[in-house]
Amino acid sequence: MKKDMFFMNIAFQEACIAFHKNEIPIGAVMIHNNFVIAKAHNLTEKSKNITAHAEIIVLNLASHYLEKKYMTECTLYVTIEPCVMCAGALFLSRMGRLVYGASNHSNLGFLGYGIRLHPKTTFSSGIMEQQCKLLMKKFFLSIRRKKKKIK
Ligand SMILES: [Zn+2]
């Protein structure tokens, strides 16, 4: 639990970086043998690429680092419940363990679609849930405010 908090906090810091770049504030870290081997945040706005989710970027970095396509010995920490695309990628990567902070309330979370993770993936949620959720809320509120100002 203490370890989960520690690594989720790193993912949360990534989410904060995204927030300050006006990206949807989601961050992720990949852990292998208790080491952070990759960390990333959402970059869909800057890259103009809908697949530039934190989880996908982290998967790519981790594969490159480990020179492996399967993540069976890794744990992924992500601040928000992965979307359908990311859950699919995590399935294919045979993720060892997935830990997420808060549920995705925009109806994009994989659980809402009845999508299952790989049978060998264990998962937990609710680590730093409030912080992760609040950061998202703050982000979408600020976007709404900006849109109102434009009108
Ligand atoms: Zn995603």
Side-chain angles (χ1 to χ4, degrees):
M1 197 70 182
K2 228 177 177 183
K3 210 198 283 182
D4 283 347
M5 284 285 284
F6 179 81
F7 289 128
M8 187 58 84
N9 198 40
I10 301 172
F12 183 73
Q13 284 168 28
E14 283 294 314
C16 291
I17 296 171
F19 182 90
H20 290 291
K21 289 180 175 175
N22 288 321
E23 297 278 353
I24 296 173
I26 299 176
V29 284
M30 189 72 85
I31 310 302
H32 182 253
N33 288 338
N34 285 322
F35 280 103
V36 174
I37 58 163
K39 55 180 185 171
H41 50 268
N42 250 21
L43 280 172
T44 50
E45 294 303 318
K46 193 184 173 205
S47 64
K48 305 272 180 272
N49 180 348
I50 206 68
T51 67
H53 285 188
E55 299 95 312
I56 302 291
I57 300 169
V58 144
L59 267 177
N60 282 319
L61 291 171
S63 288
H64 186 75
Y65 177 81
L66 294 173
E67 295 181 344
K68 278 183 180 176
K69 58 180 176 180
Y70 298 129
M71 297 292 125
T72 42
E73 290 159 16
C74 295
T75 299
L76 178 83
Y77 290 84
V78 58
T79 54
I80 298 293
E81 175 191 350
C83 71
V84 170
M85 170 184 72
C86 292
L90 294 176
F91 186 102
L92 294 174
S93 79
R94 303 182 187 172
M95 199 65 231
R97 182 172 177 237
L98 165 69
V99 183
Y100 70 78
S103 298
N104 191 329
H105 289 292
S106 65
N107 294 328
L108 287 174
F110 75 100
L111 289 173
Y113 291 87
I115 287 170
R116 291 195 198 133
L117 296 167
H118 191 275
K120 286 187 178 162
T121 305
T122 57
F123 97 98
S124 11
S125 60
I127 311 293
M128 291 181 68
E129 187 178 7
Q130 289 308 315
Q131 291 98 314
C132 296
K133 200 161 83 181
L134 271 175
L135 191 65
M136 286 286 269
K137 211 173 171 184
K138 213 172 137 186
F139 178 77
F140 287 108
L141 275 175
S142 74
I143 280 190
R144 254 174 255 153
R145 263 187 227 123
K146 275 178 203 161
K147 277 186 183 161
K148 268 185 193 164
K149 271 183 199 165
I150 292 166
K151 282 175 191 171

